[in-house]
Amino acid sequence: MSAVAVIVTVLLAAAGGLTLTRIIRGPSILDRAVATDVLLAVIVAAIATEAAYSRDATALPVLVVLAVLGFVGSVSVARFAARRNDTSTSATSDGSRR
């Protein structure tokens, strides 16, 4: 079982590292927001994997809180991006659209 744990740890660490690279190098704020959401999903997966490996259910409330936090964050970013897009395509003073 320890070989599986090592493989899962390496894969989660690689996913976290690549996600951090996207957060740092992301060309737009939306890329960084999506990468942050993916990083949160990787963290949730790591906590869930540790809880399953140790057969300890005390981490479940933390997983629920992180899942709700990720959902609320994603919805907030999507609403912000939609509102920002609406203002950029609004009518100009002569009535034409950009």
Side-chain angles (χ1 to χ4, degrees):
M1 186 68 167
S2 64
V4 173
V6 169
I7 292 170
V8 169
T9 303
V10 168
L11 289 175
L12 288 171
L18 291 172
T19 304
L20 284 174
T21 302
R22 175 50 57 197
I23 290 173
I24 293 169
R25 297 183 59 199
S28 72
I29 193 71
L30 288 177
D31 288 332
R32 289 184 173 104
V34 169
T36 303
D37 193 37
V38 170
L39 183 62
L40 184 62
V42 169
I43 290 170
V44 167
I47 293 172
T49 303
E50 190 276 327
Y53 182 72
S54 66
R55 297 178 188 244
D56 187 19
T58 58
L60 290 179
V62 174
L63 292 174
V64 170
V65 168
L66 286 176
V68 169
L69 180 68
F71 173 74
V72 170
S74 296
V75 170
S76 299
V77 168
R79 287 178 57 103
F80 173 74
R83 186 169 294 153
R84 186 171 162 186
N85 192 22
D86 287 344
T87 60
S88 68
T89 60
S90 65
T92 58
S93 61
D94 63 352
S96 64
R97 294 202 174 257
R98 290 192 234 187

